[in-house]
Amino acid sequence: MSDATTAATTAAAAAAERLRATAESTDLLLHTLAELEPAAVFEPSALSGWTRGHLLTHLARNADSLVNLLTGARTGRQVPQYATPETRDADIEAGAGRPLAEQVADLRESQRRFQDFAAGLEPEHWAAPITHRDGTVFPAWQVPGKRLIELEYHHVDLNAGYTPAHWPEPFAVAEFQRLGARLAARDGLPDLLLVAEDAGLRVRLGGGGDSSGDGGGADDGGAPGLVAEGPVRALTGWLSGRSDGDGLQVHRGDEGLVDPRSALPALPPMG
């Protein structure tokens, strides 16, 4: 088996695993929506300026946009995720006021289109490079993972009872590692060690040392200014801006802080 064939097979397997996760995540979201009253779609979500209708329309159009990216992977030519940023925003605004039943049907059908298109790709397609709307280039097998991120975070943003505590553990672990590594590389953050007790992971922000999020290695940067400990879901909720730090214990040296949430630093938005 050639190196290219091996790489394609590995990429296809990774994509298949994440596609299964997006299907499960969508089912959970649809279950939440089935419990909403029809008028709730017009109420505010947890995202500033967006109703639940804005959020659901965004999720549906995001699925279609990822089909565009996968089309590029299949054809070998770059297909824009959205025609223009203005078109993306206009489509969300235009669809936000639709009734809940129409929103649910759109979400279900757009996810089905995404799943069906992905199922028709060959292994070599999953190894093809594609360009995200923000300009980053990555292999196509990562697209289902990006869909999962949209589904899980925005399910929380729906503000309808689904919280970071409900996230699947593999998702919370992967996001703790991803967000931790991204923030560890940023300058200007206070010195803070995050310890995910249940997952055996830690990440160091702002003070050097072990910032890989892989749970191994000693801290070369000395004792951290602050330590925040707790379940990986709670830490990921805080890192992603979906929690104010509820469920975490924060201490400085041997001193436990009375109000740990006020001690945690402000983080930059996920972007």
Side-chain angles (χ1 to χ4, degrees):
M1 184 179 293
S2 69
D3 290 345
T5 301
T6 300
T9 301
T10 301
E17 178 184 352
R18 288 158 178 79
L19 282 168
R20 285 191 293 271
T22 69
E24 294 169 0
S25 182
T26 301
D27 287 343
L28 289 173
L29 176 55
L30 291 171
H31 178 77
T32 295
L33 295 175
E35 301 297 318
L36 290 181
E37 294 295 329
V41 74
F42 307 117
E43 296 172 354
S45 73
L47 297 180
S48 178
W50 270 18
T51 65
R52 293 189 176 107
H54 285 91
L55 193 152
L56 293 175
T57 300
H58 162 62
L59 280 174
R61 300 290 73 76
N62 170 261
D64 290 335
S65 80
L66 296 180
V67 171
N68 291 337
L69 292 183
L70 293 181
T71 299
R74 187 180 69 180
T75 61
R77 57 183 178 84
Q78 291 297 329
V79 178
Q81 185 174 0
Y82 296 96
T84 66
E86 293 76 18
T87 299
R88 171 187 178 273
D89 295 344
D91 285 346
I92 292 171
E93 194 63 41
R98 295 174 297 166
L100 179 60
E102 187 176 338
Q103 297 270 16
V104 170
D106 188 18
L107 178 63
R108 182 184 290 111
E109 288 304 306
S110 62
Q111 177 67 21
R112 181 191 58 77
R113 289 191 295 270
F114 172 70
Q115 293 277 157
D116 288 351
F117 191 92
L121 296 183
E122 299 295 336
E124 61 268 22
H125 297 147
W126 290 112
I130 56 177
T131 304
H132 192 264
R133 71 184 183 92
D134 64 8
T136 58
V137 179
F138 52 85
W141 67 263
Q142 293 184 10
V143 167
K146 294 185 182 299
R147 177 61 177 170
L148 182 63
I149 287 171
E150 294 286 332
L151 288 164
E152 288 295 334
Y153 282 129
H154 288 324
H155 196 167
V156 173
D157 296 334
L158 196 66
N159 199 23
Y162 190 84
T163 72
H166 295 100
W167 281 334
E169 184 177 9
F171 172 80
V173 167
E175 284 300 286
F176 177 77
Q177 293 173 309
R178 184 180 73 88
L179 294 175
R182 180 176 70 85
L183 289 170
R186 293 191 63 148
D187 295 329
L189 291 178
D191 185 14
L192 173 65
L193 177 65
L194 305 176
V195 181
E197 303 159 329
D198 53 341
L201 300 172
R202 64 182 182 177
V203 66
R204 183 83 175 264
L205 309 182
D210 179 12
S211 57
S212 66
D214 61 8
D219 268 309
D220 298 327
L226 286 176
V227 177
E229 300 177 271
V232 68
R233 291 175 176 87
L235 284 163
T236 303
W238 178 71
L239 281 171
S240 64
R242 268 69 185 182
S243 166
D244 61 2
D246 188 41
L248 301 179
Q249 296 180 355
V250 182
H251 54 90
R252 181 182 292 108
D254 295 329
E255 175 192 3
L257 302 178
V258 176
D259 186 5
R261 289 173 293 186
S262 66
L264 290 168
L267 295 177
M270 284 180 63

Coordinates of all heavy atoms in Angstrom, one line a residue, residues 123-160:
P123 N -12.0 7.9 -0.3 CA -10.9 8.1 0.7 C -10.0 9.2 0.3 O -9.6 10.1 1.1 CB -10.2 6.8 0.8 CG -11.3 5.8 0.5 CD -12.2 6.4 -0.5
E124 N -9.6 9.3 -1.0 CA -8.6 10.3 -1.4 C -9.2 11.7 -1.3 O -8.5 12.7 -1.1 CB -8.1 10.1 -2.9 CG -9.2 10.1 -3.9 CD -9.8 8.7 -4.2 OE1 -9.7 7.8 -3.3 OE2 -10.4 8.6 -5.3
H125 N -10.5 11.8 -1.4 CA -11.1 13.2 -1.3 C -10.9 13.7 0.2 O -10.7 14.9 0.3 CB -12.6 13.1 -1.6 CG -12.9 12.7 -3.0 ND1 -14.1 12.0 -3.3 CD2 -12.3 12.9 -4.1 CE1 -14.1 11.7 -4.6 NE2 -13.0 12.3 -5.1
W126 N -10.9 12.9 1.1 CA -10.8 13.3 2.5 C -9.4 13.8 2.8 O -9.2 14.6 3.8 CB -11.2 12.2 3.5 CG -12.6 11.9 3.5 CD1 -13.2 10.7 3.0 CD2 -13.7 12.7 4.0 NE1 -14.6 10.8 3.2 CE2 -14.9 12.0 3.7 CE3 -13.7 14.0 4.5 CZ2 -16.1 12.5 4.1 CZ3 -15.0 14.5 4.9 CH2 -16.2 13.8 4.7
A127 N -8.4 13.5 2.0 CA -7.1 14.0 2.2 C -6.8 15.3 1.5 O -5.7 15.9 1.7 CB -6.1 12.9 1.8
A128 N -7.8 15.8 0.7 CA -7.6 17.0 -0.1 C -7.6 18.2 0.7 O -8.3 18.3 1.7 CB -8.7 17.0 -1.2
P129 N -6.7 19.2 0.4 CA -6.8 20.5 1.1 C -7.9 21.4 0.7 O -8.3 21.4 -0.5 CB -5.4 21.1 0.7 CG -5.1 20.6 -0.6 CD -5.7 19.2 -0.6
I130 N -8.5 22.0 1.7 CA -9.6 23.0 1.4 C -9.4 24.2 2.2 O -8.6 24.2 3.2 CB -11.0 22.4 1.7 CG1 -11.0 21.9 3.1 CG2 -11.3 21.3 0.7 CD1 -12.4 21.4 3.5
T131 N -10.0 25.3 1.8 CA -9.8 26.6 2.5 C -11.1 27.1 3.2 O -12.2 27.2 2.6 CB -9.4 27.7 1.4 OG1 -8.2 27.2 0.8 CG2 -9.1 29.0 2.1
H132 N -11.0 27.3 4.5 CA -12.1 27.8 5.3 C -12.4 29.2 5.0 O -11.5 29.9 4.4 CB -11.7 27.6 6.8 CG -12.8 27.8 7.7 ND1 -13.1 29.1 8.3 CD2 -13.8 27.0 8.2 CE1 -14.1 28.9 9.2 NE2 -14.6 27.7 9.1
R133 N -13.5 29.7 5.4 CA -13.9 31.1 5.0 C -13.0 32.1 5.7 O -12.8 33.3 5.3 CB -15.3 31.4 5.4 CG -15.6 31.5 6.9 CD -17.1 31.7 7.1 NE -17.5 31.8 8.5 CZ -17.5 33.0 9.2 NH1 -17.3 34.1 8.5 NH2 -17.9 33.0 10.4
D134 N -12.3 31.7 6.8 CA -11.3 32.6 7.5 C -9.9 32.5 6.8 O -9.0 33.2 7.3 CB -11.3 32.3 9.0 CG -10.7 30.9 9.3 OD1 -10.2 30.2 8.4 OD2 -10.7 30.5 10.5
G135 N -9.8 31.7 5.8 CA -8.5 31.7 5.1 C -7.6 30.5 5.4 O -6.6 30.3 4.8
T136 N -7.9 29.8 6.5 CA -7.1 28.7 6.9 C -7.3 27.5 6.0 O -8.4 27.3 5.5 CB -7.4 28.3 8.4 OG1 -8.8 27.9 8.5 CG2 -7.1 29.4 9.4
V137 N -6.2 26.8 5.8 CA -6.2 25.6 4.9 C -6.0 24.4 5.7 O -5.2 24.3 6.6 CB -5.1 25.7 3.8 CG1 -5.1 24.5 2.9 CG2 -5.3 27.0 3.0
F138 N -6.9 23.4 5.5 CA -6.8 22.2 6.3 C -7.3 21.0 5.4 O -8.0 21.2 4.4 CB -7.6 22.3 7.6 CG -9.0 22.7 7.3 CD1 -10.0 21.9 7.0 CD2 -9.4 24.1 7.4 CE1 -11.3 22.3 6.8 CE2 -10.7 24.5 7.2 CZ -11.6 23.6 6.9
P139 N -7.0 19.8 5.8 CA -7.5 18.6 5.0 C -9.0 18.4 5.2 O -9.6 18.7 6.3 CB -6.7 17.4 5.5 CG -6.3 17.8 6.9 CD -6.1 19.3 6.9
A140 N -9.7 17.9 4.2 CA -11.1 17.8 4.2 C -11.6 16.9 5.4 O -12.8 17.1 5.8 CB -11.6 17.2 2.9
W141 N -10.8 15.9 5.9 CA -11.3 15.1 6.9 C -11.7 15.8 8.2 O -12.4 15.4 9.0 CB -10.3 14.0 7.2 CG -9.0 14.4 7.8 CD1 -7.8 14.6 7.2 CD2 -8.7 14.6 9.2 NE1 -6.8 14.9 8.0 CE2 -7.4 14.9 9.3 CE3 -9.5 14.5 10.4 CZ2 -6.8 15.3 10.5 CZ3 -8.9 14.8 11.6 CH2 -7.5 15.2 11.7
Q142 N -11.1 17.1 8.3 CA -11.4 17.9 9.5 C -12.8 18.6 9.4 O -13.3 19.1 10.4 CB -10.4 18.9 9.7 CG -9.0 18.3 10.1 CD -8.0 19.4 10.4 OE1 -8.3 20.6 10.5 NE2 -6.7 19.0 10.5
V143 N -13.4 18.6 8.2 CA -14.7 19.2 8.1 C -15.8 18.7 9.0 O -16.5 19.5 9.7 CB -15.2 19.2 6.6 CG1 -16.7 19.6 6.5 CG2 -14.3 20.1 5.8
P144 N -16.0 17.4 9.1 CA -17.0 16.9 10.1 C -16.7 17.3 11.5 O -17.7 17.6 12.3 CB -16.9 15.4 9.9 CG -16.4 15.2 8.6 CD -15.4 16.3 8.4
G145 N -15.5 17.4 11.9 CA -15.2 17.9 13.3 C -15.6 19.4 13.4 O -16.0 19.8 14.5
K146 N -15.4 20.2 12.4 CA -15.9 21.6 12.5 C -17.4 21.7 12.6 O -17.9 22.5 13.2 CB -15.3 22.3 11.3 CG -13.8 22.5 11.3 CD -13.3 23.3 10.2 CE -11.7 23.4 10.2 NZ -11.2 23.9 11.5
R147 N -18.1 20.8 11.9 CA -19.5 20.7 12.0 C -19.9 20.3 13.5 O -20.8 20.9 14.0 CB -20.1 19.7 11.1 CG -21.6 19.5 11.2 CD -22.4 20.8 10.9 NE -23.8 20.6 10.9 CZ -24.7 21.6 10.9 NH1 -24.3 22.9 10.8 NH2 -26.0 21.3 10.9
L148 N -19.2 19.4 14.1 CA -19.5 19.0 15.4 C -19.3 20.2 16.4 O -20.1 20.4 17.3 CB -18.6 17.8 15.8 CG -18.8 17.3 17.2 CD1 -20.2 16.7 17.4 CD2 -17.8 16.2 17.5
I149 N -18.3 21.0 16.2 CA -18.0 22.1 17.0 C -19.2 23.1 16.9 O -19.7 23.6 17.9 CB -16.7 22.8 16.6 CG1 -15.5 22.0 17.1 CG2 -16.7 24.3 17.2 CD1 -14.2 22.5 16.6
E150 N -19.7 23.4 15.7 CA -20.9 24.2 15.5 C -22.1 23.7 16.3 O -22.8 24.4 17.0 CB -21.2 24.4 14.1 CG -20.1 25.1 13.2 CD -20.1 26.6 13.5 OE1 -21.2 27.2 13.8 OE2 -19.0 27.2 13.3
L151 N -22.3 22.4 16.1 CA -23.5 21.8 16.8 C -23.5 21.8 18.3 O -24.4 22.2 19.0 CB -23.7 20.4 16.3 CG -24.1 20.2 14.8 CD1 -23.9 18.8 14.3 CD2 -25.6 20.5 14.7
E152 N -22.3 21.4 18.8 CA -22.3 21.3 20.3 C -22.2 22.7 21.0 O -22.9 22.9 22.0 CB -21.0 20.5 20.7 CG -21.2 19.0 20.4 CD -22.3 18.4 21.2 OE1 -22.6 18.9 22.3 OE2 -22.8 17.3 20.8
Y153 N -21.5 23.6 20.5 CA -21.4 25.0 21.1 C -22.8 25.7 20.9 O -23.3 26.3 21.9 CB -20.3 25.8 20.5 CG -18.9 25.4 21.1 CD1 -17.9 25.2 20.2 CD2 -18.7 25.4 22.4 CE1 -16.6 24.8 20.8 CE2 -17.5 25.0 23.0 CZ -16.4 24.8 22.1 OH -15.2 24.4 22.6
H154 N -23.3 25.6 19.8 CA -24.6 26.4 19.5 C -25.8 25.7 20.2 O -26.8 26.3 20.5 CB -24.8 26.6 18.1 CG -23.9 27.6 17.5 ND1 -23.5 28.7 18.2 CD2 -23.3 27.7 16.2 CE1 -22.6 29.4 17.4 NE2 -22.5 28.8 16.2
H155 N -25.7 24.4 20.5 CA -26.7 23.8 21.3 C -26.8 24.4 22.7 O -27.8 24.7 23.2 CB -26.5 22.2 21.4 CG -27.6 21.4 21.9 ND1 -27.7 20.1 21.8 CD2 -28.8 21.8 22.4 CE1 -28.8 19.6 22.2 NE2 -29.5 20.7 22.7
V156 N -25.6 24.7 23.2 CA -25.5 25.4 24.5 C -26.0 26.8 24.3 O -26.8 27.3 25.2 CB -24.1 25.4 25.1 CG1 -24.0 26.3 26.3 CG2 -23.6 24.0 25.4
D157 N -25.6 27.5 23.3 CA -26.1 28.8 23.0 C -27.6 29.0 22.8 O -28.1 30.1 23.0 CB -25.4 29.4 21.8 CG -23.8 29.5 21.9 OD1 -23.4 29.6 23.1 OD2 -23.1 29.4 20.9
L158 N -28.2 27.9 22.5 CA -29.7 27.9 22.3 C -30.4 28.3 23.6 O -31.5 28.8 23.6 CB -30.2 26.6 21.9 CG -31.6 26.5 21.3 CD1 -31.7 27.2 20.0 CD2 -32.0 25.0 21.1
N159 N -29.7 28.1 24.7 CA -30.2 28.5 26.0 C -31.5 27.8 26.3 O -32.5 28.5 26.7 CB -30.4 30.1 26.1 CG -30.5 30.6 27.5 OD1 -30.0 30.0 28.5 ND2 -31.1 31.8 27.7
A160 N -31.5 26.5 26.1 CA -32.8 25.8 26.3 C -32.5 24.5 27.1 O -33.2 23.5 27.0 CB -33.3 25.4 24.9

